[in-house]
Structure formats: C-alpha cells, structure tokens
Amino acid sequence: MRLATFNIENLDIGPDAAVRLETRTATLRPILERLAADVLCLQEVNGQHVPGAPERRLVALDALLQGTRYAAYHRVATTGPSGVGAASVHNLVTLSRFPIRAHREVRHDLMRPPLHNSLSDAAKDAPPQPVTFDRPLLLAVIDVPGPRLLHVINLHLRAARASPIAGGKLDGTTWRTTGGWAEGYFLSSLKRTAQALELRLLVDQLLADDPGALIAVAGDFNAEDHETPVRLAVAEQDQTGNAALAALALAVLDRAVPDDRRWSVLHRGRAQMLDHILASAELARRFVRLEVHNDGLTDEAIDDAACVVGSSHAPLVAEFTTNSQGG
C-alpha cells in the first residue's frame, strides 16, 4: 500500500489562477502518476463556481485528474464555511483506491479557539477575540486490505507568515510597525500550534477507541520535526517521560530518509522538511520505505513563477506492507 501527500499549491482555474490550468496539468499529472499512490492526500485545492450550482465544486481538480488512475478513486474533501460545497481556497482532498467507509472534518471539536487580546491601537479596547483555525483536519476511515481500517488524517497547518491584524499594514504587503508584524506572526504561530494540539487529541481519541488502530497523519505541517507543532503531534516518550504512554506516540516516517534527501521545500537556498507522514505504532510496524520526490524542486522565495507551474512542495509517498510484520 502506498500513501502519499502533496501540497499542489492553489490549484485553480479561470481568472483566479496565476497560471493556466492546462500548463499546470502538464507538469502535475506526471508527478501524480509517478507517486502511484493507493491513498493520496492533497492540500491547497481551490473550489470554483459552477453556473446554476449554489455551491463551489472542485472543477480544477476534476480536470487535473481526468485520464489518471485517481479519476476513479473514492474521494472526500473539506467544505466551505456553510458546510455545503467546497471552500473558495485551500481545500483538503483525500483520494483512495480503497472504499472510504466514513469521514469527518475536525475543527475546534476537541478544543475551543484560544482567545487573544489585540495589542493594536485600532482594536485595543475590543474584547478578546477567538483565534480560529484556517482549515479543519480531514479524517477519512478507509477499508484497506486486512482486518483493520486505516484512519488517515489529512492536514495543512497555518504557514509561518504573519496573520492580518486591525490597522497593522500600510498596504497589502507592507507592515506599519515591527510590533504589528510580530503580533501577526505570533497569531499564526498560535494557530499552527493550537491545531497541532487538536490533532494530538484526535489521535488520542482514536487510540483510546482502538489501541491497535492504523493511523496515518499526512500533510503540510509548515514545521520541521524539531519544531513545536510536530513535537506536539508526535508525543515521543522522551518528551512525556512516561513509558506507559509510549504506545500513543507517532513515528515520523521521513526520519528514515537520508539527510541529503530529506527536504520538501527550498526557501532562500535552505532545504526544509515541512511536509510529513506520521504513523501510529501499529502502522509503523508495517512501514517499508518513504520517498521524497524533490528532484528539480525550485526555490519558493526566489522563483515564484516557476513554483506555481508545479508546486514549491515536494510530494512524499510512504510504502507499507499489508500485514503487521513490516519491512
């Protein structure tokens, strides 16, 4: 079984697309086919208006997948604010060759939004405001070969870019003060970390229901494995200090990749592993290998135009046996 994750970066169509979909398709289709994934987690799939339809639909994704193995796969996706149809931007989509038995979106289901007292002069007298997550977690329960179901959590945590604050900017790209930028950056860090906590609570819930559950967490964490969001999700024993909790820890599968290949994003010449596939103990026992398809990846900070044709993120694919012996 091959499970992959890929942030395909603002997949869109029509006037909202920075690059024509046909151009992006010519680059993205071979990448997707090379993954040969049985389960594929995608991030940043935008939704489009369809004439006569009240909700947005994933038209660009349908066009991209046409003629590929994934066109016939089972599919679940996150929804827009109303809960009907796709969101305008950055939907999560999970595709599976195997039947998807159930799915749900998880956003502030296991923890309330943190409250923030604004430091901005424009909002300093306002009451504390909830800091809500940009996107939900997408949980899919998949009927893979064998006696156990596979729980796949697709995610895209907040990027390490400052969130907007009231009166904080002179224009779309220029901050008014360093303090304003710092507050916005803090809010983004809070969102990323808080959602990682909700992810950890979701994993705990799944393992409480079934201690031998097969759980994969796949997506764009916008964090390396030594940073707080990933450490929260993983909950290693050297952090909890409790051997009785070791079975609840997740394995960071990309640690099996040689250091010179272990990166999914280039930013100003620095190679970073921001995308990850994590596995529960039972699934990790079936782990064989992980591939990072980062050949030819461009630098997201230097070559923006080239990035958007394909993606500035490399896809990852993990291979597992269908029995509990592992590789």
Side-chain angles (χ1 to χ4, degrees):
M1 181 185 71
R2 289 171 63 85
L3 185 150
T5 181
F6 189 20
N7 182 334
I8 54 177
E9 287 206 311
N10 291 307
L11 183 71
D12 216 330
I13 196 169
D16 294 327
V19 176
R20 287 174 56 86
L21 182 63
E22 294 81 1
T23 303
R24 296 202 67 193
T25 294
T27 300
L28 288 170
R29 272 186 189 157
I31 295 173
L32 294 174
E33 289 286 20
R34 190 166 64 249
L35 293 175
D38 298 299
V39 178
L40 175 61
C41 296
L42 298 175
Q43 300 88 43
E44 293 200 23
V45 181
N46 293 355
Q48 293 76 41
H49 285 298
V50 175
E55 75 283 348
R56 287 180 180 264
R57 298 180 182 175
L58 301 178
V59 179
L61 180 64
D62 289 338
L64 171 63
L65 300 183
Q66 186 176 6
T68 72
R69 71 183 71 215
Y70 306 106
Y73 276 26
H74 304 274
R75 178 199 297 183
V76 293
T78 50
T79 58
S82 68
V84 178
S88 57
V89 297
H90 290 194
N91 293 280
L92 304 172
V93 179
T94 301
L95 301 150
S96 173
R97 183 167 70 88
F98 312 111
I100 298 176
R101 183 171 292 186
H103 76 282
R104 65 181 173 117
E105 300 176 47
V106 179
R107 176 159 44 184
H108 301 301
D109 291 10
L110 303 177
M111 61 173 293
R112 295 178 181 177
L115 296 178
H116 173 65
N117 288 290
S118 178
L119 305 177
S120 166
D121 288 339
K124 64 181 179 181
D125 296 325
Q129 297 298 307
V131 180
T132 56
F133 305 148
D134 299 311
R135 294 164 287 273
L137 307 171
L138 178 61
L139 170 64
V141 183
I142 301 176
D143 197 358
V144 295
R148 290 187 178 276
L149 298 170
L150 174 66
H151 302 264
V152 176
I153 303 171
N154 186 352
L155 88 169
H156 182 189
L157 302 186
R158 174 75 191 196
R161 289 190 295 269
S163 295
I165 63 170
K169 287 188 173 183
L170 296 172
D171 56 42
T173 60
T174 309
W175 285 90
R176 189 178 302 277
T177 65
T178 54
W181 166 84
E183 183 180 358
Y185 195 89
F186 162 77
L187 287 175
S188 292
S189 299
L190 180 60
K191 291 179 182 182
R192 188 165 57 255
T193 302
Q195 192 168 33
L197 172 56
E198 183 158 60
L199 167 63
R200 180 66 250 177
L201 296 175
L202 176 59
V203 170
D204 284 348
Q205 186 181 78
L206 294 173
L207 290 173
D209 292 339
D210 177 8
L214 303 178
I215 303 171
V217 182
D220 180 0
F221 283 75
N222 273 303
E224 297 191 85
D225 72 344
H226 62 270
E227 296 183 274
T228 298
V230 180
R231 294 178 78 171
L232 266 175
V234 171
E236 291 176 306
Q237 184 184 334
D238 66 349
Q239 296 293 307
T240 65
N242 188 344
L245 301 178
L248 302 179
L250 299 177
V252 183
L253 300 184
D254 54 84
R255 288 176 179 166
V257 178
D259 288 345
D260 64 340
R261 297 290 301 168
R262 193 178 173 226
W263 52 274
S264 62
V265 171
L266 281 174
H267 185 81
R268 300 194 184 281
R270 180 176 172 234
Q272 300 172 279
M273 197 68 183
L274 303 184
D275 304 83
H276 303 279
I277 299 177
L278 314 180
S280 62
E282 186 62 32
L283 182 61
R285 278 191 279 272
R286 306 170 188 224
F287 175 58
V288 177
R289 65 190 178 113
L290 186 135
E291 305 163 7
V292 186
H293 292 208
N294 52 19
D295 294 322
L297 200 64
T298 55
D299 193 309
E300 65 172 357
I302 297 173
D303 200 2
D304 291 337
C307 289
V308 77
V309 173
S311 173
S312 62
H313 286 254
L316 281 60
V317 56
E319 190 170 307
F320 304 90
T321 64
T322 55
N323 58 62
S324 60
Q325 299 305 308

